[in-house]
Amino acid sequence: MTDHSPVRRVLVLAHTGREEARDVARAFCKGLTGEGIIVRLLADEAADLGLDPVDYDPCIELTESETDASRDCEITLVIGGDGSILRAAEVTHESLTPVLGVNLGHVGFLAEAEQDDVESTLAAIVARDYTLEDRMTLDVRVYRDGELVTSTFAVNEASVEKAARQRMLEVVLGIDGRPLSRWGCDGVVCATPTGSTAYNFSAGGPIVWPSVEAMCIVPLSAHALFARPLVVAPTSVVAIEVLARTEGAGVLWCDGRRTVDLPPGARIEVRRGTQPVRLVRLHEAPFTDRLVAKFGLPVEGWRGPAERRFRGEEA
């Protein structure tokens, strides 16, 4: 990666409610400024970290606005779990600033580094020794009475769910302008390949490699014979209509962070996002290895071609 800008800035976002995140954030602030890189922080997070901007050279920049926080920054460094990285995706959505996650969560599928990797991660940032990977997002639109009422996006998934536990949701699913099936269900998840290891995975949907551009559709507890997970083309438009006769209302969740109420008759359209999320990659490890590491999958006994060659055996 090359960037010859004379002034270098890094936005640092941290889950400041966790002590270990605060410690790691302070270490990165010290290390980055020590290399002459300007650190930008949200003002409230700087207060949580107990940092005085003038104690650093170059001085730490503070901003009150999340909307413009990543402007002119070469990367956004996120310290926390996948939830913190999804928040960073919101902050950087318009600017397309690359996001580098340092994992302090349990799984951390979106993260590229662990909290013990501060020195090596810092060195990679300073040397610009990283690559960028664009991931597909979803554009999500909500219509009521034919009028567009909400337009938002999702990195992992958009899920239509019943608003009340005791009420089933009646929906009809359409693909590319044609009806596919009607379900009485708890909801429907529409996920990206990035989100295939999140809610989609928990709901029984397939894991999709990030290099595959597609959308996964998974009905939740559907009362129907045909209620299998579906994988559709990235060019498809998925429509979920909350039937007018349904007794219960619904709610739209995007990445588990943003919600929209869905009264009977509401229509949700999901299509490939016009703006991807850009992730920083420090390692070129195959996605297979990431699955094994994150899920702790048992692979003992594997004797692949690489190992056989190492032992001098015939492939």
Side-chain angles (χ1 to χ4, degrees):
M1 155 146 202
T2 59
D3 181 355
H4 302 292
S5 173
V7 178
R8 302 184 65 188
R9 285 183 179 82
V10 170
L11 172 65
V12 176
L13 298 175
H15 187 332
T16 57
R18 299 178 60 178
E19 182 177 355
E20 61 267 40
R22 295 194 297 271
D23 290 341
V24 172
R26 285 190 284 259
F28 272 111
C29 289
K30 180 179 179 181
L32 289 167
T33 55
E35 294 289 342
I37 298 174
I38 298 172
V39 170
R40 182 176 292 163
L41 294 171
L42 294 172
D44 57 346
E45 292 192 3
D48 291 341
L49 294 172
L51 299 182
D52 187 340
V54 299
D55 289 341
Y56 294 81
D57 183 18
C59 180
I60 289 178
E61 293 182 348
L62 300 184
T63 179
E64 301 283 349
S65 170
E66 287 195 2
T67 304
D68 298 323
S70 62
R71 177 177 44 84
D72 300 327
C73 293
E74 59 185 68
I75 66 169
T76 294
L77 180 67
V78 190
I79 301 154
D82 279 346
S84 298
I85 296 176
L86 290 171
R87 177 198 172 206
E90 293 179 11
V91 173
T92 63
H93 185 60
E94 295 301 326
S95 65
L96 202 57
T97 304
V99 175
L100 171 55
V102 178
N103 181 43
L104 272 72
H106 297 293
V107 179
F109 245 102
L110 293 171
E112 187 66 7
E114 301 296 326
Q115 65 184 93
D116 296 332
D117 300 333
V118 172
E119 290 188 9
S120 60
T121 304
L122 180 63
I125 295 172
V126 172
R128 294 190 176 97
D129 185 17
Y130 54 83
T131 58
L132 302 180
E133 179 181 347
D134 283 356
R135 294 284 188 90
M136 172 182 163
T137 60
L138 301 176
D139 280 348
V140 187
R141 301 174 187 177
V142 178
Y143 296 87
R144 294 178 192 154
D145 299 322
E147 302 245 344
L148 177 65
V149 294
T150 302
S151 181
T152 185
F153 79 100
V155 174
N156 273 353
E157 75 280 312
S159 62
V160 174
E161 303 176 33
K162 62 183 185 180
R165 183 177 181 181
Q166 69 274 18
R167 297 287 187 184
M168 186 181 296
L169 203 60
E170 289 278 345
V171 303
V172 61
L173 176 74
I175 309 290
D176 296 329
R178 302 301 300 161
L180 181 70
S181 188
R182 187 182 72 246
W183 296 313
C185 59
D186 286 351
V188 181
V189 176
C190 187
T192 64
T194 299
S196 70
T197 51
Y199 196 171
N200 167 83
F201 174 80
S202 299
I207 292 178
V208 180
W209 261 235
S211 57
V212 178
E213 294 199 337
M215 285 189 283
C216 303
I217 304 166
V218 185
L220 303 173
S221 302
H223 290 229
L225 291 176
F226 182 82
R228 297 293 185 182
L230 307 171
V231 180
V232 302
T235 53
S236 291
V237 177
V238 177
I240 303 166
E241 295 184 6
V242 181
L243 295 183
R245 68 170 184 266
T246 189
E247 294 183 3
V251 60
L252 168 70
W253 284 89
C254 289
D255 291 334
R257 295 182 51 80
R258 301 178 301 284
T259 64
V260 181
D261 291 334
L262 302 173
R267 175 184 173 91
I268 304 90
E269 291 187 357
V270 183
R271 50 175 54 80
R272 177 181 181 168
T274 56
Q275 190 87 315
V277 62
R278 184 161 290 168
L279 301 179
V280 173
R281 288 296 176 222
L282 304 178
H283 315 288
E284 297 297 330
F287 183 67
T288 307
D289 291 353
R290 185 175 289 264
L291 282 178
V292 170
K294 296 298 184 179
F295 285 133
L297 301 178
V299 294
E300 296 83 0
W302 164 253
R303 301 188 68 204
E307 181 178 340
R308 289 198 294 270
R309 284 197 298 271
F310 176 76
R311 293 178 180 275
E313 302 174 11
E314 300 239 345

